[in-house]
Amino acid sequence: MVKKYITLLKNQLEKLEREEFDFEAWKTSTVIILTRIFGPADVKIKQLESLRVEYGSSWSMRAVSGSFDPISSSKKQGREIVEVAINELELYGEEILSPCGQLVEDSLSEVLTVADYKALQGIITEQDAIKKNEALNKFLKKLSKDELTMVLTHILSEQK
C-alpha cells in the first residue's frame, strides 16, 4: 500500500510541471490524497490548505528578486509538503499508516497478561488468513467480557 501512496504523491509532483496547471485544483486533489493516507488531522493537510496564490503587490519581493511569481512560490511550498509526505512514507512505511493499529496494540498490551499478549502476537504473525482468523476468533472468545471491555475502554479513552 505504501508504494501505491508514494506513486500517487509522485504523480501530484509531476502535475506541478504541466503546462496547463490549476493550483487550486491541484491543491484540492492533493489534500484528498493526503487525507486518505494520513487522516484529516495531519499537519501537512493543514499546511497545504493554508497555501494561497497571492497576487498582491509585494514590492519587497519584487525588489529582491526582480519579479514576483506567486504561482511558483505556491508550487514550491506545495512541492515541499508532498516531498515530506513521500519521505515519511519511505522512512516509516506501514507503521505511519496505522496509528489506529498502534492504539489497539497498546491497549491490548495494557490489559492482557504477558503470556496472553505473546500468544496474540504469535497468532497475528500467522500467514494463512483462514488459520489466522480462526485462531483470533478462538483467542478473543476465551477473553472475559471485562477484559474486552477494558481493551475497548482504553482504545476509546486514548482517541484524540
Side-chain angles (χ1 to χ4, degrees):
M1 189 61 90
V2 170
K3 288 181 182 180
K4 290 179 181 178
Y5 287 147
I6 290 171
T7 300
L8 274 172
L9 292 171
K10 285 182 177 179
N11 288 341
Q12 290 304 106
L13 291 177
E14 290 172 10
K15 288 179 183 179
L16 288 169
E17 305 307 320
R18 289 186 181 164
E19 226 17 74
E20 304 242 344
F21 179 76
D22 179 338
F23 183 75
E24 289 301 318
W26 177 85
K27 184 171 84 168
T28 300
S29 61
T30 305
V31 165
I32 290 168
I33 293 168
L34 290 174
T35 301
R36 176 182 210 78
I37 298 170
F38 298 103
D42 190 83
V43 69
K44 291 178 288 304
I45 295 162
K46 291 177 183 12
Q47 290 294 318
L48 191 59
E49 288 175 332
S50 71
L51 290 182
R52 303 279 182 263
V53 177
E54 299 292 335
Y55 291 101
S57 59
S58 176
W59 290 105
S60 62
M61 290 291 285
R62 288 182 189 144
V64 171
S65 66
S67 66
F68 177 64
D69 183 4
I71 295 284
S72 290
S73 176
S74 297
K75 280 182 173 182
K76 190 177 206 178
Q77 291 174 30
R79 175 180 296 285
E80 287 295 322
I81 292 167
V82 173
E83 287 175 350
V84 164
I86 291 170
N87 290 338
E88 285 182 4
L89 289 168
E90 290 174 341
L91 184 62
Y92 298 111
E94 290 291 331
E95 73 184 62
I96 201 167
L97 301 178
S98 59
C100 184
Q102 186 62 48
L103 180 59
V104 170
E105 189 173 323
D106 292 347
S107 299
L108 288 166
S109 69
E110 286 288 323
V111 174
L112 299 178
T113 64
V114 173
D116 282 344
Y117 185 73
K118 285 183 180 180
L120 180 61
Q121 292 297 347
I123 294 169
I124 290 172
T125 60
E126 171 64 51
Q127 297 300 312
D128 184 321
I130 294 171
K131 287 181 183 177
K132 181 178 182 176
N133 286 340
E134 289 172 356
L136 282 171
N137 194 10
K138 183 178 177 181
F139 178 85
L140 291 172
K141 282 183 178 180
K142 84 171 186 135
L143 294 177
S144 71
K145 181 179 176 182
D146 288 341
E147 288 172 313
L148 292 171
T149 301
M150 288 186 338
V151 169
L152 189 54
T153 300
H154 190 272
I155 290 169
L156 295 173
S157 67
E158 294 296 317
Q159 289 292 315
K160 294 181 173 101

